[in-house]
Amino acid sequence: MKRLVCLILILVTAAAQEAVSAGQPSAPSALSPGGGAAGMAAIGVILPLTGRHAAYGNSVLDAILLASTILDRGTNAPLRIVIRDSESRSEILPALVGELADRENVLLILGPLGEGMETARLAREKRVPILVFTQQEGIGRDNPYVLRDMLTNRAQVQALADHAVTRGGLRRFAILYPDEAGGREMARLFREAVATRGGRIVRERTYGRQQADFGDEIRSLAGIEGAAGRDVSEPEGSIEIASPRPVDFEALFLPDSLGRAHAAALQLANHGVQGVRMLGPASWNQPERVRADGGVLEGAVFADTYCANDASRPVQEFIERYYASTGREPGSLEAIAYDGTALVVRTIRDAKPRSREELLRALTAVENVRGVSGRLSFTPEGESRREAVILKITQGQIVPVRE
C-alpha cells in the first residue's frame, strides 16, 4: 500500500495501478498501457525485482517512482514509466532491452544495477539511451548511448587519500582487503593514490571472501606473534589486561563491507592496537547499522556522495518522502537513483525531446544540477561528474567532515 501511494501521484490509468498494487513484480508491467497515447513520453526501467538482488532493485524502484512524481501535472507531455524485472539474471537483459526499445518505444532506460558492459552493448545495438547505476568506469567509451552514474572506486580512493595524506598529514598506511577482483582493484588504487601524495603502504594482508574472523591478519599487520596483553596478579587470580601496542602504520584501509570493518576493528582493540584510523568505501554508509555498532568504528572515515545527516532542505525532504512511502530510510543507492530519474524527468519536461538522440544531447548539456546526492552532470563520454564527500562515524552518527 505504501508503494501505491507513490504510484497514485503519477499520471496513470486505473488498470495500471491495479497491476502494480497486485504485487507481481516479476511480470512485465507499465504505469500506463503498453504502447501509450500519442505524444506520451515513456521511460523504461529494468531492475532485479525478484531473485538474489531483489532487495536492492525494489529499493531503487521506490526511489525512481518517487522522483517520477516531480513531473508537472500541468504539462502537455505526461510521463509513462514501463517497468521490467530482470529477475537478477543477466541472460534475460537482451530480451528486456529489446522489448522496451522496440515495442514500448521508450526514450531512455533506467538501470539495470551493475551489468555495465553487457548493458552498454545492448544500448548501442538498439540505439536507446541507458542510464546505468554502476561503479564500473569506461562502459560508455566510444558508445554515445550509455550514461553511467555512481561514485567510482577510483573517486572514493582519491578522496580518501586527499583527506588522509594531503590534508590529514598521515604518511604510513596498512591495507587489509579481500583476495578477489574488487578487493585487489581497490587496494591497487589506494596504493597509487597514497604514493602520488607522498605516503606509503608499510603492511598488507589479504583474506578469503567468506572469512569473518581477522585475528591472524590483525596480528600479522601489528607484528604480534601471540595474543597482546600482560598478566597482573590479583587476589582472586590472574587476569589479562590489554596494553597499548605501537604499530608502524597510522591508518588501515579496508575496502569491504561494514560488517567486516566491524570485525577488524574489534580485533585491533582486542590486541591493544590504539589510535589507528579506519578508512573504507562508500558501502560503510549505513546509518542504522552504525547506530547499533556500539562505538567499535568510532572515528572511521569513508567517502560517498550522500549523507542522511545533511541538514539541507532537499535532503531532509527526500528522506521524509521516501520514509513515508516505504517505511525505510533511503541510502546512497536510492539517493543516486532518485537524482538520476529526477534529471531525466525534468529534461523531458523542459527540453521536450523529439528523439532519443535529442534527449541524450540535452542530458549531457546539463551542468552541475544540485540533487540529494550532490551535484550531477555528465561528460561527453557519458561518465557522471560526481564529487565525493568525506564522512566520519562520530558518536553513532555518520556526519560530513568539514575540510
Side-chain angles (χ1 to χ4, degrees), residues 41-44 104-109 128-129 348 353-356 359:
I43 295 175
E104 299 294 347
N105 196 31
V106 299
L107 281 173
L108 176 141
I109 295 173
V128 59
I348 292 174
R354 292 170 294 179
S355 68
R356 294 166 176 171
L359 175 58

Side-chain angles (χ1 to χ4, degrees), residues 21-225:
S21 63
Q24 298 176 346
S26 61
S29 58
L31 299 188
S32 176
M40 181 178 286
I43 295 175
V45 176
I46 300 177
L47 291 170
L49 304 179
T50 57
R52 63 193 181 106
H53 301 308
Y56 297 105
N58 282 281
S59 293
V60 168
L61 179 60
D62 287 331
I64 288 173
L65 296 178
L66 194 65
S68 304
T69 66
I70 68 170
L71 188 66
D72 183 3
R73 294 189 180 195
T75 183
N76 293 323
L79 180 66
R80 190 167 58 96
I81 299 181
V82 187
I83 303 167
R84 295 293 183 267
D85 177 17
S86 71
E87 303 173 17
S88 303
R89 297 193 296 136
S90 59
E91 63 269 23
I92 69 173
L93 284 176
L96 298 182
V97 172
E99 185 178 354
L100 290 175
D102 298 335
R103 194 178 82 183
E104 299 294 347
N105 196 31
V106 299
L107 281 173
L108 176 141
I109 295 173
L110 296 168
L113 302 180
E115 307 292 353
M117 291 300 182
E118 175 65 6
T119 302
R121 183 189 68 78
L122 295 170
R124 190 183 193 95
E125 180 181 305
K126 290 297 181 179
R127 302 173 68 86
V128 59
I130 296 185
L131 174 52
V132 187
F133 304 115
T134 179
Q135 294 177 329
Q136 189 175 1
E137 293 181 83
I139 63 171
R141 191 175 293 117
D142 301 323
N143 187 339
Y145 290 94
V146 176
L147 301 174
R148 187 208 61 79
D149 187 24
M150 193 173 287
L151 191 65
T152 65
N153 291 336
R154 185 183 305 275
Q156 294 175 52
V157 166
Q158 296 283 345
L160 282 174
D162 279 339
H163 168 77
V165 182
T166 307
R167 292 187 293 274
L170 304 184
R171 291 293 179 267
R172 302 183 307 280
F173 298 84
I175 309 177
L176 178 61
Y177 60 98
D179 191 14
E180 45 85 25
R184 291 191 292 269
E185 174 70 1
M186 288 288 276
R188 180 186 66 81
L189 292 171
F190 189 74
R191 283 188 216 104
E192 295 173 356
V194 166
T196 58
R197 290 162 176 80
R200 65 191 182 98
I201 309 302
V202 297
R203 292 179 183 268
E204 291 189 29
R205 275 297 302 264
T206 62
Y207 56 87
R209 178 68 270 181
Q210 303 301 320
Q211 190 170 328
D213 183 276
F214 300 103
D216 290 342
E217 287 75 17
I218 293 301
R219 282 190 290 271
S220 174
L221 290 173
I224 302 171
E225 293 184 2

